Amino acid sequence: MSVRKLMIGVIGAGEASEQARQWAYEIGRLIAWRDAVLVCGGMGGVMEEACRGCIEAGGQTIGILPGDQADQGNPWVSLPVVTDLGHARNVIIAHTARALVAVEGEYGTLSEIAIALKLGRPVTALGGWRDIPGVMPAVTPRGAVSWIFDRLGRKDS
Amino acid sequence: MSVRKLMIGVIGAGEASEQARQWAYEIGRLIAWRDAVLVCGGMGGVMEEACRGCIEAGGQTIGILPGDQADQGNPWVSLPVVTDLGHARNVIIAHTARALVAVEGEYGTLSEIAIALKLGRPVTALGGWRDIPGVMPAVTPRGAVSWIFDRLGRKDS
Amino acid sequence: MSVRKLMIGVIGAGEASEQARQWAYEIGRLIAWRDAVLVCGGMGGVMEEACRGCIEAGGQTIGILPGDQADQGNPWVSLPVVTDLGHARNVIIAHTARALVAVEGEYGTLSEIAIALKLGRPVTALGGWRDIPGVMPAVTPRGAVSWIFDRLGRKDS
Amino acid sequence: MSVRKLMIGVIGAGEASEQARQWAYEIGRLIAWRDAVLVCGGMGGVMEEACRGCIEAGGQTIGILPGDQADQGNPWVSLPVVTDLGHARNVIIAHTARALVAVEGEYGTLSEIAIALKLGRPVTALGGWRDIPGVMPAVTPRGAVSWIFDRLGRKDS
């Protein structure tokens, strides 16, 4: 039996709409309930709300931080990975997550989607970059997370 | 007087159409003629033809290589920068180029466009990702390169 | 109360002596017992034995992997961070760990020690690079781990 | 006939002694006279003097910059490669240079020496880390550069 945890990525902007923050929080909870670990960029906005949802539901959160200080991560990152790589840390998120949910987001999020698709990772999006070819558009957090686990071969329970 | 060279990026897929290869070759020549240095990912397809055009017109080419061997670069890279960073090297291209021309391209190219736009770099595209918000669509190599130098404040001579 | 976990790094070669492997296993256990998370390069040798010790004592292990596949990590990595950055992932280990224990090791380990010292992290070494200025030489796993937690201001319990 | 340029690395601290700066300047000149391109971290101290020597002797200099702005490089960098990777850019220098000369230097320099030796690059040192196993100690800039070109199979002319 493997000790390996399943990693699911949540990506989106550090400045996010109220809608995006609610979606992100709910996605974080759903990831925790399925016993996966949430991976994100560890900063504010979508990342912070997703981490908060995950932690409050009893899960764990890895923040792949762009700066050189663990304290720069949001307070809901339990496992800060300090890269000091700036935007290049986006590529690590795409590699580390087995699948990704994008919540709105701007160009940084688009770069993560692009690398994730390049790597063949399942990617779904709520708002934002949902029209990029290869991205599965989603309408609700539950739909987004269900699709991802279905693609990874782990059914809803 | 500065010794600094102006760096212009050319991005696109390693497997490219005949059309894309012709465009890339012409773009490489135009960059050399304006005394700029061409920066690219250093591999095949669009990157190789752009480098060939630039070298044949008397210019210089920096290839930011994803692998760990200088020999993996195409034969028209005069200055191979060996990163062994995989796709993360795309971020270096976006940072290093003052402006970028995309020629067709797939998800790797999209990731470079996204980071370049995030950094505020002028980006123009021939084919491919020309509909991404913030990208200036171009129709000819000459139009693409003229637009870039105009944005950088260096007029056609 | 913070959700943040304390990260302790264990570094050393993928090919290790029997002595080094025993030391690493014991260090992994000590880290788990103090409720810290073990961070390492995630591969074989010292890294694998440290992870095994940590997991068998009920802890968690982050492997900052050099390649592009989570499966390349050793079986005792519970949280694989997939970087595809090659040796550059060493720098992430130095940034992420609040303090590091080196167990023997070769040039890769030396690069991690150098960056960690540059960042002001406490570094202790069993064998290997113990004579590098700034490194605290250790004689036993228990002494190494005690010194580290003392430097971080968390006393032995 | 290849368009590829030979890349030689010069590494050392941003704050350097007068002795180190003189050595670095002379090394830069010797690299230019042999028609190689100087690769360095692009910042001050040893890096700046090496670049100045190289440019004043008619050569070219690539600065692999740790920050996100080309302007952060010293004024003698003709080809700034902007990485925004912090200390991880040291690994790129070791990969890109076919051989390296270290001039004094501190922990950052040690990390570059370590990775270069790991990659099998010839490394020589004036002062500083000359006692690291695998490093060839040198006494003069001329001796250091001669040894490097001898190891690369290009004889003094």
Side-chain angles (χ1 to χ4, degrees), chain B residues 27 30-31 34 101 124 140-150:
Chain B
I27 290 165
L30 291 164
I31 289 171
R34 284 161 183 269
V101 185
T124 182
T140 64
R142 185 165 294 273
V145 174
S146 289
W147 178 81
I148 278 204
F149 279 82
D150 188 68

Side-chain angles (χ1 to χ4, degrees), chain B residues 4-10 26-39 54 59-60 97-101 121-124 136 138 140-157:
Chain B
R4 221 53 126 240
K5 289 290 195 174
L6 177 66
M7 309 278 207
I8 302 295
V10 180
E26 187 62 15
I27 290 165
R29 293 211 301 171
L30 291 164
I31 289 171
W33 285 337
R34 284 161 183 269
D35 198 30
V37 172
L38 187 152
V39 180
C54 186
Q60 290 194 97
R98 286 278 307 283
L100 299 94
V101 185
R121 303 276 190 274
V123 179
T124 182
M136 168 63 69
T140 64
R142 185 165 294 273
V145 174
S146 289
W147 178 81
I148 278 204
F149 279 82
D150 188 68
R151 281 293 308 276
L152 296 176
R154 298 189 8 170
K155 296 293 179 217
D156 260 320
S157 54

Side-chain angles (χ1 to χ4, degrees), chain C residues 27 34 39 59 62 67 77 94 105:
Chain C
I27 290 164
R34 285 162 182 269
V39 180
I62 294 184
V77 170

